[in-house]
Every structure is written in C-alpha cells, then in structure tokens.
Amino acid sequence: MRCGRCVQVCPSGIFVREEPEGRIAVCDPEGCIACGHCVAACPAGAVDHEAFPAERVHCLDRGALPAPEQVELLLAARRSNRALSQRPVPQEWLDRIVAAADRAPTASNARGLAYTVVTDASLLRRVAEYTLEIFRGLERLLTHPLVRPWLKPLMPGTYRYVPVFERLQRDYAAGRDRILRGATALLFIHAPKGSRFAAEDANLACQNASLMAEALGVSQIYMGFVLTAVRQDRRRRLNRMLGIGERRICAILALGMPDFAYPNYIDREPSAVRKI
C-alpha cells in the first residue's frame, strides 16, 4: 500500500522512504527495539516481524474501548481504600493486574521490569515487621542527643515523621498494622540495578496495575512506607527475603478485597494549570 505509517511511527528510524509515495526500505535493522509500533500501525499486515508472529497480533475494535466519560469516572472513583476484608484476591485477578502493569511503556522499550507477587501471610507479616525495624533505627538516629541539634535544622521535614514512626510501632504492638493495612497481597515492581529509568518505568507500570485493580473492584494502596524502608536499607534485606538478588525495588502496591465500595466520589480542588 505504501501508506508510510511504519515510517512515521518507528522510533528508531528503521523504515525509510526517500520520496513521497515511493518504496519503503528497511535501514539498520539491528537498531530495532522491538516496540511493535510498525506492526500495530500497519493496516494491511505487511510487516513481518520475528518478535511479533501472527498469533500475537490482534485486530483492534476501537468501538469496544471505554468512552472518555467512563475513563474519567474510573479515575474519579479510584481511591486507596484501607478498609480491607480477609478475603484473598482471586489469583486470576492478580494475574490480570500484573499483566496490566506489564503493558506499560518503558524507556527505549527496555522492558527490564519484573514483578514479584507475595500472598504468603507469614512473608507479608515479615515485610511489615522489616519496615518497622528500619523505622526504629531511623527514629533512634534522629532523636540521638548528639545528632538532633545539628540535623533537625537541616532536615525539618524529616523530623515531622518521628511521631509517625512512634505511632506505627504502638499500633502494631496493639494488633493494628498501619503498614500493610491488612492487605492479602503485595506487588513488588523491580528493575535491574543499573537501569537508568527504573523509577519512571516502574511507576508507569504501577499506575496500570492500580487502574486494573480498581476496574476489578480490588483495593490498592501505594506502599510508600515500605519503599522508604527499602531505600534506607543498604543491606538489602528485603531483596533477600524476596529472592530477587541485587535488583532495585522501585514501586510497591498492596492489594486486598475491600469491606465495602465507596458509594460516592468527590471533586478535588483543581491544581494550578498554566497555559502558555
């Protein structure tokens, strides 16, 4: 057809055409990043790509996609529902949540992310206790009489978390887990240690996972406390717990079945938007 769509969409410039409506040639194929844009854009199935055999290419019915209003409603309804039941998230739903995460884009289509799903109750408990142990160490450091006088003026924002650390410890001792909130599953998203865009890739994947969870009726809570503990732990103890070696944990999502669904959504105060 010589429609030229592959020339337009290839991020590596592998498809070239020297003159309008002329023949399309392939140049420097070893530069292909296997993103699949050419195959997805071709209306005639003219691109034969070894990474995307016919059984992995599907015609898209755009009429079956959700309307913008439906997407807006899903986004408005998504909340971090911490009222969790003890019902486990069905394995099929966990698989769909991970598959949604894995469809997120990655820089240069590097696809270096991997996923670890924890549902074992004893390991979930160890993750919560690991986080609290790291926080105890931070609390001792921040409140040390020789450290506090000179560190607090430099890091006032950090010191506001000291009473939070103390409350987390007290609540856990009283049987109230304010770390995992009773979640029955944790999704860890991790990348190779030297990945330049690991955090960006992981958070795009995490957002995909969160929206799929919301669509399935699964509560999802971003585990900022656990991620903070991971970043403070030079010994990488959680990595050893999970068996993921030297990989870098970049995003963590707690998942659970809610006790109830929110019957309302609210309009937040709009953020400032500059139009230039």
Side-chain angles (χ1 to χ4, degrees), residues 118-234:
V118 176
T119 57
D120 178 81
S122 63
L123 186 50
L124 291 172
R125 185 171 59 254
R126 287 172 63 196
V127 171
E129 292 171 353
Y130 157 85
T131 303
L132 292 169
E133 182 183 346
I134 295 293
F135 286 174
R136 275 195 297 272
L138 284 173
E139 181 187 344
R140 285 194 297 268
L141 173 64
L142 293 172
T143 58
H144 193 282
L146 296 180
V147 173
R148 184 184 181 100
W150 64 267
L151 194 58
K152 187 173 182 179
L154 298 175
M155 305 173 62
T158 301
Y159 272 84
R160 72 185 181 91
Y161 283 100
V162 170
V164 176
F165 295 158
E166 294 171 346
R167 186 172 68 249
L168 290 172
Q169 305 284 350
R170 289 196 304 270
D171 286 346
Y172 193 81
R176 296 186 297 273
D177 180 5
R178 303 297 189 190
I179 303 296
L180 304 190
R181 302 283 180 164
T184 58
L186 282 177
L187 170 60
F188 292 87
I189 305 176
H190 41 89
K193 186 177 179 181
S195 176
R196 183 178 178 185
F197 296 103
E200 292 83 353
D201 290 346
N203 282 295
L204 286 170
C206 188
Q207 185 65 16
N208 267 24
S210 178
L211 291 174
M212 176 55 77
E214 187 68 33
L216 290 167
V218 176
S219 292
Q220 72 284 173
I221 309 165
Y222 194 85
M223 290 283 96
F225 281 144
V226 183
L227 198 56
T228 297
V230 169
R231 290 170 177 167
Q232 295 294 323
D233 182 15
R234 296 183 179 181

